[in-house]
Amino acid sequence: MQSFNKTIEHVPVLISDFKKLFPKISGVWVDGTFGFGSYSNYLLEAGAKKLIAIDLDPDVKKHINDLNTKWPNKIDFYISNFIEMKKIIKNLEINHIDGVFLDIGVSSMQLDKSIRGFSFRNDGPLDMRMSRNGPTASDFVNNAEEKLIAEVIFKYGEEARSKIIAKRIVENRKKFKIDTTYKLSKIIEETPGIKTGIKKHPATKSFQAIRVAINNELNNLVLGLYYAYDVLKVGGYFAIITFHSLEDRIVKRFFNQVFIHNDPLSDLKKFGGEGTPLFEKINKKPIIASEKEIQINPRSRSAKLRVVRKLSNKSLLLDQKKLGLPQVSNRLRDFQCA
Ligand SMILES: C[S@@+](CC[C@H](N)C(=O)[O-])C[C@H]1O[C@@H](n2cnc3c(N)ncnc32)[C@H](O)[C@@H]1O
């Protein structure tokens, strides 16, 4: 039980707010981003009859084993992408999902291990794959065209110096292979005009962009939202934590949808409150971390929790553009691992 104790010692972002919103739950829940399993553990404590837990990262297996010991026969676990949730649920012959929880992004387990290559704070191989499968961040920076690198850094990192960073990456990779997090962060740090704030490392935005790109994070998010809506019963809850503005914008727009003349992707406000909303908002504004939580866990600073209840049983058509998903060249597909 040693490592399970470690699992519950890990304090996940915004969990005390989540507990206040959900002191008791029932039925079958999906945790699509298992990580350390702290939220899964809470969902079972709060009364979930069954839990379908999913994570892309094979490294979470040890945490699921620990949780299985505590909650025998309660958890169905899959090393998979949460965009597979519909198939998984169908195979389990479950018809009603009472709640879906997603805690998007990387875990501290991934960020803090230098070998996983996510962080410019610890030198390690330039990897960044959540699934540990397919092309790495190093494959991307050493082989992608300069234009694609610039596009990714601009659209997924909102980095104003994207073009010059991409140029410097391409110049440097002619001299040596950019295969460590240190080498990449050094190139970015030394880019003329790059902002070197005290709070934010100059490589923050570029590292985020490359991670989002190779793990296909925003496309997965959009598909995850659609599948979660699809599998939930009417009256079921959907709670989601995001960590940056691109993610939150997509979630906010998705939750704001209403059906008007069978057009499911309109913003309620634009129509003066007419139409049938897809969701009832449980919290009108996103929940953010308190100063106390930010002090204990600085990563929680950018977290936003949104919770809704499904109201409609109409089917939705996928429309990525209206959700604000940045459109990036298809050539990125060659460098994506999930
Ligand atoms: C912020 S952590 C979740 C922490 C977790 N809520 C807890 O209580 O410990 C995010 C996790 O989601 C996983 N993940 C990210 N994108 C995913 C996806 N598309 N499908 C499945 N898992 C994903 C990551 O591998 C990581 O383990």
Side-chain angles (χ1 to χ4, degrees):
M1 294 299 286
Q2 178 92 32
S3 55
F4 179 66
N5 286 338
K6 270 193 200 146
T7 300
I8 49 179
E9 265 169 32
H10 161 78
V11 183
V13 168
L14 298 175
I15 198 154
S16 54
D17 301 274
F18 185 86
K19 287 181 180 178
K20 276 185 215 144
L21 286 172
F22 293 105
K24 274 207 176 323
I25 59 170
S26 60
V28 186
W29 276 66
V30 176
D31 178 354
T33 49
F34 179 80
F36 288 90
S38 313
Y39 266 94
S40 282
N41 183 50
Y42 176 68
L43 292 170
L44 289 161
E45 273 175 7
K49 186 180 80 187
K50 184 146 207 77
L51 184 76
I52 298 159
I54 304 171
D55 202 296
L56 267 177
D57 189 341
D59 279 15
V60 306
K61 271 184 196 153
K62 58 178 182 302
H63 299 295
I64 190 65
N65 290 341
D66 297 334
L67 214 60
N68 255 332
T69 314
K70 185 177 177 193
W71 302 98
N73 307 320
K74 289 268 195 179
I75 314 170
D76 279 298
F77 186 74
Y78 298 85
I79 298 288
S80 182
N81 195 315
F82 56 61
I83 66 172
E84 302 296 333
M85 73 174 93
K86 193 173 175 186
K87 276 191 216 148
I88 290 172
I89 290 161
K90 196 169 169 224
N91 287 341
L92 290 171
E93 297 182 7
I94 295 173
N95 298 321
H96 292 296
I97 296 296
D98 297 86
V100 175
F101 173 70
L102 296 177
D103 183 2
I104 296 297
V106 269
S107 69
S108 47
M109 181 170 35
Q110 292 161 332
L111 268 178
D112 297 343
K113 274 197 192 149
S114 53
I115 189 80
R116 300 299 303 268
F118 282 99
S119 172
F120 42 78
R121 299 196 193 283
N122 320 304
D123 189 22
L126 188 58
D127 189 318
M128 298 196 193
R129 295 167 304 169
M130 291 183 193
S131 64
R132 289 181 160 256
N133 230 325
T136 61
S138 169
D139 293 328
F140 175 69
V141 296
N142 287 291
N143 298 298
E145 299 162 35
E146 184 177 324
K147 204 171 155 208
L148 181 60
I149 298 177
E151 190 184 5
V152 158
I153 294 178
F154 183 67
K155 293 190 177 164
Y156 289 156
E158 299 182 309
E159 168 60 71
R161 308 293 290 161
S162 58
K163 281 193 180 154
I164 176 108
I165 291 172
K167 187 163 180 268
R168 282 188 38 81
I169 287 175
V170 170
E171 278 165 10
N172 278 282
R173 78 187 185 192
K174 289 180 191 149
K175 297 181 222 156
F176 57 88
K177 190 167 180 198
I178 307 167
D179 53 3
T180 67
T181 52
Y182 177 76
K183 286 182 195 170
L184 179 60
S185 80
K186 195 87 188 128
I187 291 169
I188 299 168
E189 254 176 79
E190 289 171 359
T191 299
I194 195 86
K195 278 204 182 120
T196 48
I198 303 165
K199 278 192 183 155
K200 245 188 186 171
H201 188 283
T204 307
K205 290 180 173 180
S206 303
F207 267 62
Q208 172 193 299
I210 295 167
R211 190 202 88 205
V212 166
I214 71 152
N215 290 289
N216 205 4
E217 288 180 37
L218 295 181
N219 288 284
N220 286 339
L221 170 61
V222 168
L223 291 174
L225 294 171
Y226 277 85
Y227 285 124
Y229 171 81
D230 223 16
V231 301
L232 273 173
K233 68 174 193 186
V234 173
Y237 290 96
F238 189 5
I240 179 157
I241 299 176
T242 58
F243 282 91
H244 56 81
S245 56
L246 292 174
E247 291 173 345
D248 187 57
R249 184 175 69 190
I250 290 171
V251 175
K252 187 173 142 190
R253 289 190 183 179
F254 187 79
F255 286 171
N256 269 342
Q257 290 175 98
V258 293
F259 281 103
I260 294 171
H261 310 305
N262 285 333
D263 171 10
L265 284 170
S266 311
D267 190 317
L268 187 56
K269 284 185 212 136
K270 281 190 206 148
F271 292 86
E274 282 172 34
T276 321
L278 270 64
F279 298 104
E280 171 198 359
K281 288 186 192 136
I282 301 301
N283 51 333
K284 299 275 177 271
K285 288 204 163 155
I287 294 170
I288 54 171
S290 63
E291 275 309 315
K292 197 174 154 211
E293 180 168 359
I294 294 170
Q295 263 177 13
I296 299 166
N297 177 8
R299 218 188 141 229
S300 66
R301 185 184 298 279
S302 49
K304 285 188 175 156
L305 167 65
R306 292 182 186 266
V307 184
V308 292
R309 205 166 66 90
K310 177 169 162 173
L311 293 179
S312 161
N313 60 0
K314 294 189 184 184
S315 340
L316 275 183
L317 289 174
L318 187 68
D319 191 332
Q320 301 172 328
K321 274 193 203 154
K322 285 191 188 167
L323 294 180
L325 181 77
Q327 301 296 300
V328 172
S329 160
N330 281 337
R331 293 188 309 280
L332 181 59
R333 281 300 322 158
D334 296 340
F335 301 100
Q336 287 180 316
C337 61

